[in-house]
Amino acid sequence: MAFAGPVLLKRIPADPAQRKLHRWADYVATGGYEGFQKARSIPPEDVIKLVIESGLRGRGGAGFPCGTKWTFLPKDVHPRYLAVNFDESEPGTFKDRYLIDHDPHVLLEGIAIAAYANRITTSYIYIRGEYHRQAKVLEEAIAEAYAHGVFGGKHPGTDIIHNCYVHRGAGAYICGEETGLLESLEGKRGWPRIKPPFPAVAGAFAKPTIINNVETLACLPHIMLNGAAWFKSMGTPSSAGPKLFGVSGHVHKPGVFENELGVKMSALIEKHAGGVKGGKYKAAIPGGVSMGILGTDQYDAELDFDIGKKYNVLGLGTAGVIVMNDQTDLVLALRNIVRFFAHESCGQCTPCREGTAWMHKILNRIAAGFGKPRDFDLLMEVALSMGAMPGTTICGLADGANWAVRTFLQKFPEEFKARLKSPQVQGVNLAPVAATV
Amino acid sequence: MPTMEVDGKKVSWEGRKMILQACLDNGVELPHYCYHQGLSIVASCRICLVEVENPDPKDPGKLVKIPKLMPACQTPAVDGMKVHSLSPKAAANQKAVLEFLLLNHPLDCPVCDQAGECYLQDYSFRYGRAQSRFEEDKAKKPKKDIGKHVLLYSDRCIMCTRCVRFTREISGTGELGVFGRGHKEEIDVFPGQSLDNPLSGNVIDICPVGALLDKDFLFTQRVWFLKKTPSISPFSSGGENIFIEHNQGRVYRIKPRFHKDINQWWISDDIRYGWNFIHNNRQKRISVRGSADCASWEYSLGRLEQMFRKAAAEKGAGSTVLLLSPFDSTEEMFLAAKWIRGIDSQARLILNPPKIEGRDQVFRNPATGAVTYIIRAEKAPNRRGAEKIIAHFGEPPAGRTDSLDELADRAKNGNISAALVLVDPIAHNDSRLGEVFADLENLVTLSTRPDGLVGRAALALPVCTWAEKSGVFENCEGRIQAFERAVAPLEETRSAGEVFWDLLSQAGTYNAAAVRRLMVQAGLAEYADVSIPQREKEVELMQFVEL
Ligand SMILES: Cc1cc2nc3c(=O)[nH]c(=O)nc-3n(C[C@H](O)[C@H](O)[C@H](O)COP(=O)(O)O)c2cc1C
Ligand code: SF4
Ligand code: SF4
Ligand code: FES
């Protein structure tokens, strides 16, 4: 393991005063589009091979090996599309935005490389509706890239012209789920699709489609330039490469930091984020609220793709770490998380649509001081019945809600149980309630 | 044929089928809400999840269990597969889904029309839990008037989206959509629209719960009192298969009956709501011109026979007329023709032509272009049957056409001695016929309604509607289909078939099957093997387990 210095953030200094938006000239002056040149100098198949060899795994949440995903495209079926997932709506996640705010061309170069390797006809950057500024930044950068021939030309040796567009979402979390994204891209309601068919076979407009996260694609120029071995020299055997971590919550210096995969959470918090604020460390969300929670004794958890098995969470997710100090009321924290899922459930699957709203109501009642002892088991059971086994619902949102509720209860049972005693025992002020009945 | 085992039962199928469909085809029940064979698969209700063991491709003797629960509606059936819908894991999911669906349900079955044919009730009984653990406030959702025929009780909706898919895939009109998100979502019509396409009533049938209800049927009957009699649409030439649902001699609603090549699961609103003539505006008694008293059937039949014999004798062969209606059964028309030809060997057989409304209206799935339903332009069920009978009894002599125009000419010239008219139950051509027969003394009508020609008739016999008799209709594609009697004939009415059966002094009482045997003997071989539709099996009483 060796992380020598920033890779993805090499154009974004830690000091806010020195950060700036890199336009075409700035980008090219700092080695931009050299990775693309390099890619074009070798056959597309070799680009795919290199990406597989590098061990690059998806940065959007699921951690699926990037090059392998590309190989699922059926041979010689055209047109094919690349959908860039810039929906970034997972709470606690703001890494893609940070990157695009300052260095949009690194994404465009990544897109150009992926498009070259896979003979893509059209790339769509699906951007979260609330990201107004970033959409504008990207539009401008795309115009520059067109002007310099990155887009709009034929893939060498073919008649396939590659175009790139920005498509703005309308602000739904579920449109970050890859098939919800495709539906939304097609102008439909963002309801995740049932699989099969998988997007690689029939994705956007029923054509073969690759979906990749912004950060995943942003790794490609660096891999092209520096090689697979270099990429693998960072991280762990199963989790190669550098990674952006967004740290928020009770820390002195929240922000986006880069380190290698496998870095200890404690190191991230203390070295980069200035340490825990307002008290001692109590718990943390490893990567977006869908992943569940790390307990007080899991402060040193290594942040890599194996975190799920080792620490009883769903996974690394987006690596948007939310830190909570010992003053945090976890009942309220969980209520807030579940409120999010209830609000964002797309409403297709019965367990997710009804279960998230039910859990939110139960947690509301507990928060108000009217919890009952049996609520603990009830919450656990509702959570389990909506997503314990993947496959109970169409997409992963329900699993996320399940993991959040389950791990909060499992890792902090006492804190919840204390709130399930009668209101009088808890010392709840019943006067306002009495006034309403 | 590939075969799999579902809860220990053997299930076979042909071609590519999903587990659920293969089971349903074999009469093996798996719970399902969002799945409907006529619509696209969305696999969203999640009640059909099952455990699946697949044969190992490397070692076909071995089965490999898929670790997740699989949606039966969306998982292809594979030869040698084992499916478990009763395993603890599958059962736990069914129980959970039902509990979820009932969280915000108002549980107002006592005032809900769907009670008794509701899949929430049925599955709750079979798979659900006795008590809800939900103690929060229920979400309240409004009742909406969404179209000419349909009411939406949003709070009973389980968001299966069958109705939405119907308007997008079958009627192609797309008035319905899902609005809002998550637990706040509701079915509604798009702003400024209402659900009033010509197939709108079908959404009521496919709604598995009491969310979409029929304004026409609202609060008129509890469904468990209704008996279903298989029948054929009496209004159109398509031969759409239907059920007449009735109780104590009264019809309450018409529902589609599945026929894979004709109407599939659907019927048009014309057919669904056009049956009012069964109970309204009926001629109930025999009426004789110039007499206020009621005549008996015995007297009237004698009078009829006498009138026609006399007329034919006076004006000669070919002067009497039988006007057939495309609304009567082929058997009845056969008997009528046989009778009149027995009196006047050259009696003219003429068809009162059916109403044609524009062109056939063809509905297609906008995505695939496949035809989903056809509303026929021809608004009568049995023109082809009538034509067959006319052809059987002899072509018109050369140079003469048997049309209403020609009939009118002959009537004007005084060349008609007597006419027997089978009147359409639905007013059509009334004024034209009134003109044709304006001055005819010997006019006899067989009519369900008291208006139209009836006022002019020397003898007006009251007959029953198709719901009160059985017989066959032949649709526009030449399919001969039987319909069954649903309710008893009203008051003094008789079927036209019965009238001619008695006039022909046939032994025994009239029945359609006996007439078909006569027809076969007379050389109409195709009536030998008419299949009679199955009545619905009596619902088996649920076995209540003592707790
Ligand atoms: C509910 C839900 C929300 C998601 N939101 C995002 C998102 O905002 N951005 C993202 O890149 N991936 C998101 N994903 C993951 C995507 O489905 C998909 O795995 C990812 O975009 C694939 O890209 P990658 O292989 O490059 O990581 C989400 C998944 C789920 C289940
Ligand atoms: S799991 Fe939830 S968010 Fe995902 S498709 Fe089903 S209802 Fe929609
Ligand atoms: S109204 Fe009926 S058919 Fe439509 S979604 Fe609701 S339950 Fe399903
Ligand atoms: S019937 Fe299979 S999910 Fe609804």
Side-chain angles (χ1 to χ4, degrees), chain A residues 57-64 66 69 85-90 95-96 173-179 211-214 216-217 290 318 395-397:
Chain A
R57 292 173 64 171
R59 269 42 174 166
F64 196 86
C66 178
K69 187 190 270 187
N85 196 339
F86 191 10
D87 192 57
E88 193 164 67
S89 322
E90 180 76 34
K95 62 185 179 69
D96 298 342
Y173 171 57
I174 199 58
C175 294
E177 197 279 341
E178 54 187 22
T179 55
I211 298 139
N212 274 131
N213 170 257
V214 169
T216 314
L217 292 167
S290 316
T318 60
C395 89
L397 187 142

Side-chain angles (χ1 to χ4, degrees), chain A residues 189 347 361 372 374 391-392, chain B residues 45-46 135-137 180 185:
Chain A
R189 194 182 159 84
K361 284 182 177 175
K372 296 179 184 162
R374 65 169 200 159
T392 309
Chain B
C45 75
R46 312 310 281 184
E135 49 182 273
E136 327 303 327
D137 290 338
E185 71 191 3

Side-chain angles (χ1 to χ4, degrees), chain A residues 55-297:
Chain A
L56 173 64
R57 292 173 64 171
R59 269 42 174 166
F64 196 86
C66 178
T68 313
K69 187 190 270 187
W70 295 358
T71 62
F72 297 156
L73 287 176
K75 287 231 166 346
D76 301 323
V77 183
H78 295 278
R80 312 163 154 188
Y81 300 118
L82 170 66
V84 182
N85 196 339
F86 191 10
D87 192 57
E88 193 164 67
S89 322
E90 180 76 34
T93 309
F94 39 86
K95 62 185 179 69
D96 298 342
R97 181 185 72 184
Y98 185 69
L99 195 62
I100 300 304
D101 266 340
H102 304 101
D103 196 8
H105 279 286
V106 75
L107 172 62
L108 302 189
E109 186 178 355
I111 291 172
I113 294 168
Y116 168 74
N118 296 296
R119 300 282 187 243
I120 298 292
T121 315
T122 310
S123 298
Y124 296 101
I125 305 175
Y126 186 95
I127 180 167
R128 171 179 175 162
E130 291 87 340
Y131 282 181
H132 305 272
R133 192 188 114 83
Q134 292 73 18
K136 192 161 157 276
V137 164
L138 277 174
E139 295 275 15
E140 287 168 8
I142 288 174
E144 288 176 332
Y146 265 102
H148 291 89
V150 176
F151 303 132
K154 287 181 185 165
H155 292 306
T158 72
D159 277 337
I160 302 168
I161 297 175
H162 176 227
N163 282 303
C164 179
Y165 306 103
V166 171
H167 182 102
R168 294 189 57 193
Y173 171 57
I174 199 58
C175 294
E177 197 279 341
E178 54 187 22
T179 55
L181 182 151
L182 294 178
E183 288 285 296
S184 174
L185 185 65
E186 291 180 6
K188 301 183 188 141
R189 194 182 159 84
W191 273 10
R193 294 179 183 171
I194 50 175
K195 289 136 236 157
F198 289 93
V201 177
F205 312 103
K207 293 286 184 275
T209 303
I210 298 173
I211 298 139
N212 274 131
N213 170 257
V214 169
E215 186 188 345
T216 314
L217 292 167
C219 289
L220 297 177
H222 304 288
I223 293 173
M224 292 319 304
L225 268 185
N226 303 315
W230 164 83
F231 194 76
K232 276 198 291 200
S233 74
M234 289 168 276
T236 71
S238 63
S239 311
K243 179 81 189 82
L244 298 180
F245 296 92
V247 186
S248 59
H250 296 137
V251 289
H252 285 290
K253 216 163 68 66
V256 176
F257 310 105
E258 185 175 15
N259 211 308
E260 60 185 339
L261 280 164
V263 65
K264 283 197 167 70
M265 184 172 71
S266 50
L268 191 69
I269 293 171
E270 281 158 24
K271 280 208 203 104
H272 293 289
V276 178
K277 183 171 82 172
K280 285 209 303 270
Y281 166 83
K282 176 174 175 184
I285 303 279
V289 297
S290 316
M291 296 299 125
I293 194 163
L294 290 166
T296 312
D297 56 349

